[in-house]
């Protein structure tokens, strides 16, 4: 079969011919029909420090995908051949201390698809049944292909009460734009979007369901439709920070506010704990992955009920042969997600 | 001043001339500009068993109102003369065991406006500063006049997670219709409305933001646009039951679902605790009043952000002289709220 | 092998010779070294309505046990031959809507050991690895044999805040006595025990770590060391009701109190919802099984740290040949747990 | 009356003659019978940067005290002349956004006794009724005098589940020692105490109910009875950090653990957010003051039930004339609390 591989421990990507992966009695083999490129994939292509320390070559990478079940193991009950599926990319062991307490998304022995085991940039990918997600018939395949990052945003945004409260989203990449949509679908009274860079096209499109214009709840100039400015402190319930480029200093919103941190900041953060966390009685939450599968059910329901529309963030739909172009679009920041 | 009073312990209402109420150093005297009639007021007019046991005549009644501050006590800081205000009708003592743990809405010595002390169907009403709520400039007076029952609905609907979950509302009176709106504003994926009676005009109007039509999340026939039928069990996160006419038996939705009960059922309820509560790991919550003022802030934010529109439930706007007509409209079930 | 079976759909029990059960690649076969008799087992022996409707004969029953791993399937990683083990008796499918949201204890397709599949009153029992629990070396086998009902008590008692709060336990069977111990270990300031019957020997023994004597927190006569009386309402955080013989009416403790219901009341309960649940803002929780395995880890830690001592509730340790005697002791109410 | 004052903006303390403070209709005037010296008081004596920026001289300081009601305002209902009382030192306005949402301990306009208004190192102190706490008859005055810092410890330790979980306490000053006691009373399975300095006498005494010796739950060498070492990561539910001398780097305990931060670190903290917070799904909580009065009720119940004994931390009981000696003892680290 056709696959895209990191063949050697150096920058670059290789299109290869690979054997179709074998599957055990609890596994599902999936014909991949669409995929999307994540920031993680760029790290792998570029072979940065993180990639060099984590990836064992050769490795077919990629983890955001949609497909159709091609075959199932003898013990598989959840899906049948022909079902449209995607999957949770954190393959958990189910037996560690975290998994046994219901924290599969924090599994101590997690294997990530396309990072620790063969990924989805290929004709076929194999997942254990426990990680397979059957796609709702109303959800198109290009949306299903981004359930992984969208699930990150749902998990982060819904990690506390939202309805009738005010939020800022720091970092306006695709997950940040998803989070804006989820917060608004969940009844946030006001959402500010904050980013260092001027909003690219994708963000302006996202603004169809995007951050709120200047006039908040009668309080004057608060949000920045241009998406680069800080919101007023005060009656602010929380921050959502899906970003690798978190500012070095975190400022906390109003009393008992929450800051939900997602992503991988490259450096330690300096926090004025006394002023920002302790005196304000704040909650700082680390968010990792998605709740398996609680987040998925809520994501499906938000999508199929029409509460959440993420299409504006999907900027490019490309063909199979355009993989390198997709990588470049992604790298340039011009693309939200492409597949 | 002009007032509407329960003058004698018998059915009926009396329009009287009354002295303008006096106010202490922490009190606010309010010129009433609009009011609404609650089911409680009908009980008082009709002098039913509850009213006879609770009300000490003579009593000016009424508690849903809007007004303008006419004068303030020497120690009042929150409002100024001329401010548009309404108020929390549970006047709490702040010193009992419930209040001291932050449960002012469950105050052991609560005095309810228009029930235990002089109410708002009058030219002037007096409230302690602690109970006064300044109305946001974007909120019209007829909406402000129903902040009390709308707050009930907000408190009930937001008593657990909502976004991406499925709900049924049992009882389609005004509070039930408000609850439908709040659930939808908060991202409920699907809301069914259930009532014994065919939906009156007010409900059909409420359906502008009303319960969901037949097609839920791809699961076939589940909701009843006609609002009299039971939803399917299963993937159901919760029930909201703002009704005096709760069915004698409660059935619980899906595993770990919540049932949030508001209102005053006239009889004890029979619950198949083993089947409905224990085996399903369910949560049954009693909801009383509104969180003071957490619910109010979230209500204000939902209204001013445009997430929640309750105008369809306001069926009649009448003049001062039409009080008896308003009472009759309310009694007939043809009116949602009138003022 | 030797086993105790419900061979025919009628009252009684049969000692039989049975084949040693076979085990698949993810299964663990366990040599049973001790077991305990649950109320459920008495229902099966007596063949009451519940048993007749649920059990398919022939069925080896029993589910409270300790054992030693005799063999493991090829894919088993968690335990090795010779390990001391017991198990979670709710065998969950891991794929249903409840399981996929982390509610394995509420699995829609649950199979209960000794009820829906071959049980533990036998030389050998087979469990899937996912349900096996390795016993801490400091925990003796007779305590390990009752992890199932003790887990019920831990799950119920810890279903809300406990430290510095006041509780009543309704129903002083073994699980009720366990719950008293767990509440006290978790810092409950005061625990009343309530039962219709005079306390049998086991309860008096339990009182070593048992309910609190008359003098509560300076409030006069509140608890009943004799264990049959109702506690004062008021500053009361919650009730724990592990009983089949719940009173027909439930009264709720102080404002925002919780009532955690465990067990299988034989009839629907009548609840004065207005007075007891709604006006008090109460929480009624259905508790089923144990959190898999969050409850188990906390139970182990309470036992090994010496915070919880359940030995007084273990009234009789009998030999294998005394099974009928154990059943009679259990039925008579004279025994807490025997094995 | 006699008082201890910061008379001028420079290091030192002054014993003065002052007028007895006047009291309004909602105020309570208290004859002080015992007091304790807090770290805050040392800052005021030493006139460090924080003190210089916050305190307006002249100011009678001190906020940890016990007393007897000497007179009450006309509207006071909660206490009578002669009642033994202490008080919540955060005098909240009750009207700000934080207070109105039930977060009085985070009041935006808080006035702290002995910092922002006349304090308790005097013959008499005045508190508004809303802040007065009547002392339980079973609690001696020297314990009542430290309800403020003990409340900090109760609030911090009980800010999440405790029973059957494992904790570390970083910082073994008086509040740290209190927190150890509260965690153990609340059923913590294991508590490690961590401090830079060798444990002074007060800590060894605290060890009567102190941190756990080496052998935890069967896991080998984990705790440090000497109280200077780090616990093993892993099955660890949380950290409690009541310290001004937090390490510059925070390491988070096991998955979904909580870190509850109390105190005023003098510098911003550097946190490896990716590794410690995000990948571990951790919760970092800022804790300020005490819940008013939820924490107080639970503290009272823990004390009167005998679950919590804080006497070992009270190292010195001195006379009124020994104030300077008490300050020196406190400064030297040899004293836990003196009064």
């Amino acid at each position: 079969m056709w696959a895209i591989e990191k063949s050697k421990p150096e920058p670059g990507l290789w299109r290869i011919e690979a054997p179709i992966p074998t599957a055990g009695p609890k596994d599902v083999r999936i014909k991949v029909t669409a995929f999307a490129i994540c920031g993680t994939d760029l790290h792998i292509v570029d072979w940065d420090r993180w990639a060099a320390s984590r990836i064992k070559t050769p490795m077919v990478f990629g983890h955001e995908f949609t497909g159709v079940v091609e075959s199932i193991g003898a013990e598989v009950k959840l899906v049948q051949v022909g079902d449209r599926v995607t999957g949770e990319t954190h393959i958990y062991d189910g037996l560690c201390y975290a998994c046994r307490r219901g924290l599969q998304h924090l599994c101590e022995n997690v294997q990530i698809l396309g990072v620790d085991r063969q990924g989805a940039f290929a004709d076929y990918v194999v997942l254990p049944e426990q990680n397979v997600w059957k796609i709702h018939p109303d959800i198109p395949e290009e949306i299903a292909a981004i359930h992984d990052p969208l699930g990150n945003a749902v998990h982060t945004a819904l990690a506390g009460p939202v309805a009738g409260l005010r939020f800022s989203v720091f970092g306006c990449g695709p997950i940040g734009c998803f989070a804006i949509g989820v917060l608004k679908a969940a009844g946030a009274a006001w959402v500010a979007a904050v980013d260092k860079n001027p909003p690219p096209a994708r963000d302006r499109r996202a603004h169809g369901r995007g951050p709120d214009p200047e006039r908040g709840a009668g309080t004057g100039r608060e949000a920045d439709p241009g998406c680069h400015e800080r919101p007023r402190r005060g009656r602010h319930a929380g921050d959502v920070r899906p970003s690798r480029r978190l500012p070095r200093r975190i400022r906390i919103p109003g009393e008992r506010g929450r800051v939900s941190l997602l992503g991988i900041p490259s450096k330690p953060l300096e926090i004025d704990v006394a002023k920002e966390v302790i005196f304000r009685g704040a909650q700082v939450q680390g968010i990792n992955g998605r709740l398996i599968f609680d987040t998925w059910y809520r994501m499906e329901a938000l999508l199929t009920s029409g509460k959440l529309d993420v299409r504006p963030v999907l900027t490019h739909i490309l063909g199979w042969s355009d993989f390198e172009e997709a990588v470049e679009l992604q790298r340039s920041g011009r693309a939200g997600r492409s597949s």
Side-chain angles (χ1 to χ4, degrees), chain A:
Chain A
M1 68 174 190
W2 174 89
I4 289 171
E5 190 184 81
K6 171 62 65 174
S7 302
K8 302 175 206 166
E10 61 189 52
L13 61 85
W14 289 260
R15 287 164 184 268
I16 61 159
E17 279 295 313
I20 292 179
T22 56
K26 297 229 169 193
D27 287 335
V28 176
R29 188 159 59 198
I30 301 158
K31 173 92 180 76
V32 177
T33 57
F35 54 72
I37 298 173
C38 173
T40 302
D41 300 319
L42 301 188
H43 290 292
I44 297 174
V45 172
D46 294 347
W47 204 244
D48 69 5
R49 206 168 58 175
W50 170 82
S53 72
R54 176 78 176 254
I55 308 280
K56 288 182 179 39
T57 57
M59 178 65 69
V60 172
F61 56 106
H63 59 270
E64 303 182 4
F65 75 99
T66 310
V68 172
V69 175
E70 182 261 351
S71 66
I72 60 174
E75 297 172 28
V76 169
K77 295 173 196 161
L78 201 64
V79 291
Q80 295 181 313
V81 171
D83 283 347
R84 290 195 321 149
V85 295
T86 179
E88 167 57 49
T89 58
H90 284 57
I91 295 152
Y92 57 93
D93 71 358
L95 298 174
C96 72
Y97 180 53
C99 284
R100 284 208 145 190
R101 287 180 300 146
L103 306 173
Q104 288 88 343
H105 64 298
L106 300 171
C107 173
E108 296 169 7
N109 306 307
V110 68
Q111 286 199 311
I112 298 179
L113 194 72
V115 171
D116 302 312
R117 51 183 274 169
Q118 192 228 298
F121 293 162
D123 267 358
Y124 294 95
V125 66
V126 168
L127 269 183
E129 177 184 27
Q130 69 175 15
N131 278 61
V132 171
W133 179 257
K134 195 170 165 179
I135 301 167
H136 191 283
D138 291 354
I139 294 181
E141 70 171 7
E142 68 272 18
I143 303 295
I146 54 164
H147 271 13
D148 177 287
L150 181 57
N152 285 143
V154 171
H155 184 196
T156 308
L158 301 187
V162 174
L165 301 175
R166 306 161 68 79
F167 290 86
S168 296
V169 174
F170 290 74
C172 296
I175 296 181
C177 289
F178 293 153
I180 292 169
V182 176
L183 287 166
K184 295 180 74 104
W190 187 87
V191 182
V194 183
D195 200 283
K196 290 200 278 196
N197 303 314
R202 69 174 184 229
D203 296 318
R204 276 196 295 274
R205 287 211 231 168
H207 288 188
R209 290 219 142 195
D212 286 298
E214 238 177 277
R215 183 172 154 291
T219 47
R221 189 163 190 289
E222 291 193 297
D224 183 357
C227 176
H228 352 189
E229 211 167 316
R230 303 200 64 96
R232 175 184 88 113
R233 279 163 89 121
R235 297 200 183 178
H236 212 81
D239 286 355
V240 169
R241 291 162 179 268
S243 173
R244 284 174 194 273
R245 292 163 307 188
L246 285 172
R248 284 274 297 166
R249 290 179 176 274
I250 285 186
R251 296 178 69 213
I252 301 285
E255 276 64 33
R256 286 289 295 173
R258 71 164 156 116
V259 176
S260 302
L261 298 168
L262 172 76
I264 314 172
S266 48
K267 295 182 198 166
L269 240 70
E270 197 171 85
I271 301 181
D272 187 342
V273 168
K275 186 173 162 201
E276 300 293 340
V277 179
I278 294 173
F279 284 132
R280 291 178 167 271
Q283 311 289 313
V284 180
Q285 304 174 307
I287 307 286
N288 191 9
R290 300 140 298 275
L291 300 178
I292 303 172
F293 282 91
D294 190 67
T295 299
W296 291 73
Y297 284 110
R298 297 177 80 173
M299 171 168 57
E300 177 186 277
L302 287 169
L303 289 168
T304 58
S305 65
K307 294 275 172 187
L308 178 64
D309 180 5
V310 297
R311 286 170 301 181
V313 187
L314 290 176
T315 51
H316 297 73
I317 308 272
L318 306 173
W320 291 101
S321 54
D322 305 321
F323 192 84
E324 284 83 354
E325 182 190 343
V327 166
E328 284 314 306
L329 275 167
Q330 185 91 342
R331 195 195 311 274
S332 72
R334 278 175 293 142
R337 273 299 188 273
S338 43
S339 60

mmCIF file of all heavy atoms in Angstrom, chain A residues 245-265:
data_model
loop_
_atom_site.group_PDB
_atom_site.id
_atom_site.type_symbol
_atom_site.label_atom_id
_atom_site.label_comp_id
_atom_site.label_asym_id
_atom_site.label_seq_id
_atom_site.Cartn_x
_atom_site.Cartn_y
_atom_site.Cartn_z
ATOM 1 N N ARG A 245 2.446 28.813 21.860
ATOM 2 C CA ARG A 245 3.175 30.048 22.085
ATOM 3 C C ARG A 245 2.534 30.852 23.193
ATOM 4 O O ARG A 245 2.151 31.992 23.026
ATOM 5 C CB ARG A 245 3.211 30.834 20.790
ATOM 6 C CG ARG A 245 4.071 30.151 19.725
ATOM 7 C CD ARG A 245 3.761 30.715 18.369
ATOM 8 N NE ARG A 245 2.304 30.650 18.116
ATOM 9 C CZ ARG A 245 1.745 30.929 16.952
ATOM 10 N NH1 ARG A 245 2.477 31.294 15.930
ATOM 11 N NH2 ARG A 245 0.425 30.834 16.817
ATOM 12 N N LEU A 246 2.298 30.178 24.318
ATOM 13 C CA LEU A 246 1.715 30.885 25.452
ATOM 14 C C LEU A 246 2.642 32.012 25.865
ATOM 15 O O LEU A 246 3.859 31.868 25.822
ATOM 16 C CB LEU A 246 1.573 29.927 26.639
ATOM 17 C CG LEU A 246 0.442 28.929 26.515
ATOM 18 C CD1 LEU A 246 0.556 27.929 27.645
ATOM 19 C CD2 LEU A 246 -0.893 29.645 26.592
ATOM 20 N N PRO A 247 2.082 33.136 26.251
ATOM 21 C CA PRO A 247 2.937 34.183 26.776
ATOM 22 C C PRO A 247 3.666 33.658 28.011
ATOM 23 O O PRO A 247 3.168 32.784 28.717
ATOM 24 C CB PRO A 247 1.951 35.294 27.150
ATOM 25 C CG PRO A 247 0.616 34.631 27.238
ATOM 26 C CD PRO A 247 0.663 33.454 26.343
ATOM 27 N N ARG A 248 4.820 34.181 28.257
ATOM 28 C CA ARG A 248 5.613 33.716 29.389
ATOM 29 C C ARG A 248 4.909 33.960 30.719
ATOM 30 O O ARG A 248 5.143 33.264 31.691
ATOM 31 C CB ARG A 248 6.982 34.431 29.396
ATOM 32 C CG ARG A 248 7.938 33.885 28.357
ATOM 33 C CD ARG A 248 8.712 32.695 28.876
ATOM 34 N NE ARG A 248 9.552 33.085 30.001
ATOM 35 C CZ ARG A 248 10.139 32.225 30.819
ATOM 36 N NH1 ARG A 248 9.974 30.933 30.649
ATOM 37 N NH2 ARG A 248 10.875 32.645 31.808
ATOM 38 N N ARG A 249 4.084 34.961 30.745
ATOM 39 C CA ARG A 249 3.376 35.256 31.981
ATOM 40 C C ARG A 249 1.886 35.026 31.769
ATOM 41 O O ARG A 249 1.344 35.422 30.753
ATOM 42 C CB ARG A 249 3.592 36.708 32.411
ATOM 43 C CG ARG A 249 5.017 36.966 32.872
ATOM 44 C CD ARG A 249 5.210 38.412 33.269
ATOM 45 N NE ARG A 249 6.554 38.603 33.788
ATOM 46 C CZ ARG A 249 6.891 38.399 35.063
ATOM 47 N NH1 ARG A 249 5.974 38.039 35.940
ATOM 48 N NH2 ARG A 249 8.126 38.570 35.466
ATOM 49 N N ILE A 250 1.272 34.424 32.744
ATOM 50 C CA ILE A 250 -0.169 34.212 32.680
ATOM 51 C C ILE A 250 -0.852 35.194 33.607
ATOM 52 O O ILE A 250 -0.436 35.362 34.753
ATOM 53 C CB ILE A 250 -0.520 32.774 33.096
ATOM 54 C CG1 ILE A 250 -0.156 31.816 31.975
ATOM 55 C CG2 ILE A 250 -1.988 32.646 33.452
ATOM 56 C CD1 ILE A 250 -0.595 30.405 32.216
ATOM 57 N N ARG A 251 -1.870 35.869 33.102
ATOM 58 C CA ARG A 251 -2.702 36.681 33.983
ATOM 59 C C ARG A 251 -4.048 35.989 34.104
ATOM 60 O O ARG A 251 -4.609 35.500 33.139
ATOM 61 C CB ARG A 251 -2.902 38.092 33.422
ATOM 62 C CG ARG A 251 -1.576 38.854 33.348
ATOM 63 C CD ARG A 251 -1.792 40.225 32.743
ATOM 64 N NE ARG A 251 -2.545 41.089 33.640
ATOM 65 C CZ ARG A 251 -3.399 42.035 33.220
ATOM 66 N NH1 ARG A 251 -3.641 42.187 31.934
ATOM 67 N NH2 ARG A 251 -4.032 42.788 34.083
ATOM 68 N N ILE A 252 -4.554 35.967 35.314
ATOM 69 C CA ILE A 252 -5.771 35.216 35.592
ATOM 70 C C ILE A 252 -6.972 36.143 35.510
ATOM 71 O O ILE A 252 -6.892 37.298 35.903
ATOM 72 C CB ILE A 252 -5.708 34.601 37.010
ATOM 73 C CG1 ILE A 252 -4.517 33.679 37.130
ATOM 74 C CG2 ILE A 252 -7.008 33.885 37.361
ATOM 75 C CD1 ILE A 252 -4.639 32.366 36.466
ATOM 76 N N PRO A 253 -8.095 35.627 35.008
ATOM 77 C CA PRO A 253 -9.302 36.456 34.936
ATOM 78 C C PRO A 253 -9.915 36.625 36.329
ATOM 79 O O PRO A 253 -9.246 36.465 37.338
ATOM 80 C CB PRO A 253 -10.195 35.649 34.006
ATOM 81 C CG PRO A 253 -9.749 34.252 34.155
ATOM 82 C CD PRO A 253 -8.286 34.305 34.456
ATOM 83 N N GLY A 254 -11.159 36.978 36.376
ATOM 84 C CA GLY A 254 -11.836 37.363 37.630
ATOM 85 C C GLY A 254 -11.771 36.291 38.710
ATOM 86 O O GLY A 254 -11.337 35.161 38.493
ATOM 87 N N GLU A 255 -12.222 36.639 39.882
ATOM 88 C CA GLU A 255 -12.179 35.765 41.044
ATOM 89 C C GLU A 255 -12.751 34.379 40.709
ATOM 90 O O GLU A 255 -13.823 34.265 40.127
ATOM 91 C CB GLU A 255 -12.988 36.390 42.188
ATOM 92 C CG GLU A 255 -12.210 37.401 42.991
ATOM 93 C CD GLU A 255 -11.811 38.622 42.166
ATOM 94 O OE1 GLU A 255 -12.589 38.985 41.262
ATOM 95 O OE2 GLU A 255 -10.720 39.179 42.390
ATOM 96 N N ARG A 256 -12.042 33.350 41.164
ATOM 97 C CA ARG A 256 -12.439 31.950 40.964
ATOM 98 C C ARG A 256 -12.518 31.588 39.492
ATOM 99 O O ARG A 256 -13.178 30.620 39.130
ATOM 100 C CB ARG A 256 -13.792 31.633 41.614
ATOM 101 C CG ARG A 256 -13.756 31.519 43.105
ATOM 102 C CD ARG A 256 -13.055 30.289 43.594
ATOM 103 N NE ARG A 256 -13.730 29.052 43.223
ATOM 104 C CZ ARG A 256 -13.210 27.860 43.432
ATOM 105 N NH1 ARG A 256 -12.036 27.723 43.982
ATOM 106 N NH2 ARG A 256 -13.857 26.785 43.082
ATOM 107 N N GLY A 257 -11.849 32.371 38.625
ATOM 108 C CA GLY A 257 -11.847 32.037 37.214
ATOM 109 C C GLY A 257 -11.044 30.779 36.969
ATOM 110 O O GLY A 257 -10.308 30.302 37.831
ATOM 111 N N ARG A 258 -11.211 30.243 35.778
ATOM 112 C CA ARG A 258 -10.401 29.080 35.423
ATOM 113 C C ARG A 258 -9.541 29.404 34.214
ATOM 114 O O ARG A 258 -9.951 30.145 33.337
ATOM 115 C CB ARG A 258 -11.276 27.861 35.137
ATOM 116 C CG ARG A 258 -12.064 27.914 33.858
ATOM 117 C CD ARG A 258 -12.579 26.515 33.477
ATOM 118 N NE ARG A 258 -13.745 26.602 32.634
ATOM 119 C CZ ARG A 258 -13.783 26.164 31.359
ATOM 120 N NH1 ARG A 258 -12.725 25.620 30.798
ATOM 121 N NH2 ARG A 258 -14.892 26.268 30.650
ATOM 122 N N VAL A 259 -8.365 28.841 34.190
ATOM 123 C CA VAL A 259 -7.500 28.889 33.020
ATOM 124 C C VAL A 259 -7.286 27.450 32.600
ATOM 125 O O VAL A 259 -6.755 26.644 33.363
ATOM 126 C CB VAL A 259 -6.155 29.552 33.345
ATOM 127 C CG1 VAL A 259 -5.236 29.510 32.129
ATOM 128 C CG2 VAL A 259 -6.374 30.981 33.788
ATOM 129 N N SER A 260 -7.745 27.104 31.418
ATOM 130 C CA SER A 260 -7.633 25.733 30.921
ATOM 131 C C SER A 260 -6.550 25.705 29.870
ATOM 132 O O SER A 260 -6.704 26.283 28.805
ATOM 133 C CB SER A 260 -8.973 25.274 30.336
ATOM 134 O OG SER A 260 -9.981 25.355 31.322
ATOM 135 N N LEU A 261 -5.457 25.045 30.210
ATOM 136 C CA LEU A 261 -4.269 25.060 29.356
ATOM 137 C C LEU A 261 -4.192 23.803 28.506
ATOM 138 O O LEU A 261 -4.189 22.687 29.031
ATOM 139 C CB LEU A 261 -3.005 25.127 30.223
ATOM 140 C CG LEU A 261 -2.834 26.353 31.113
ATOM 141 C CD1 LEU A 261 -1.700 26.117 32.099
ATOM 142 C CD2 LEU A 261 -2.560 27.580 30.286
ATOM 143 N N LEU A 262 -4.107 23.989 27.199
ATOM 144 C CA LEU A 262 -3.932 22.874 26.283
ATOM 145 C C LEU A 262 -2.734 23.199 25.405
ATOM 146 O O LEU A 262 -2.504 24.350 25.072
ATOM 147 C CB LEU A 262 -5.183 22.718 25.414
ATOM 148 C CG LEU A 262 -5.073 21.713 24.272
ATOM 149 C CD1 LEU A 262 -5.160 20.298 24.796
ATOM 150 C CD2 LEU A 262 -6.152 21.957 23.231
ATOM 151 N N GLY A 263 -2.026 22.185 24.978
ATOM 152 C CA GLY A 263 -0.928 22.404 24.059
ATOM 153 C C GLY A 263 0.401 22.248 24.759
ATOM 154 O O GLY A 263 0.461 21.902 25.931
ATOM 155 N N ILE A 264 1.467 22.494 24.016
ATOM 156 C CA ILE A 264 2.796 22.175 24.528
ATOM 157 C C ILE A 264 3.668 23.416 24.459
ATOM 158 O O ILE A 264 4.383 23.626 23.486
ATOM 159 C CB ILE A 264 3.438 21.040 23.709
ATOM 160 C CG1 ILE A 264 2.434 19.911 23.492
ATOM 161 C CG2 ILE A 264 4.676 20.517 24.412
ATOM 162 C CD1 ILE A 264 2.914 18.838 22.549
ATOM 163 N N PRO A 265 3.611 24.266 25.485
ATOM 164 C CA PRO A 265 4.506 25.415 25.473
ATOM 165 C C PRO A 265 5.944 24.927 25.491
ATOM 166 O O PRO A 265 6.278 23.964 26.192
ATOM 167 C CB PRO A 265 4.162 26.180 26.751
ATOM 168 C CG PRO A 265 3.301 25.293 27.555
ATOM 169 C CD PRO A 265 2.792 24.210 26.688
#
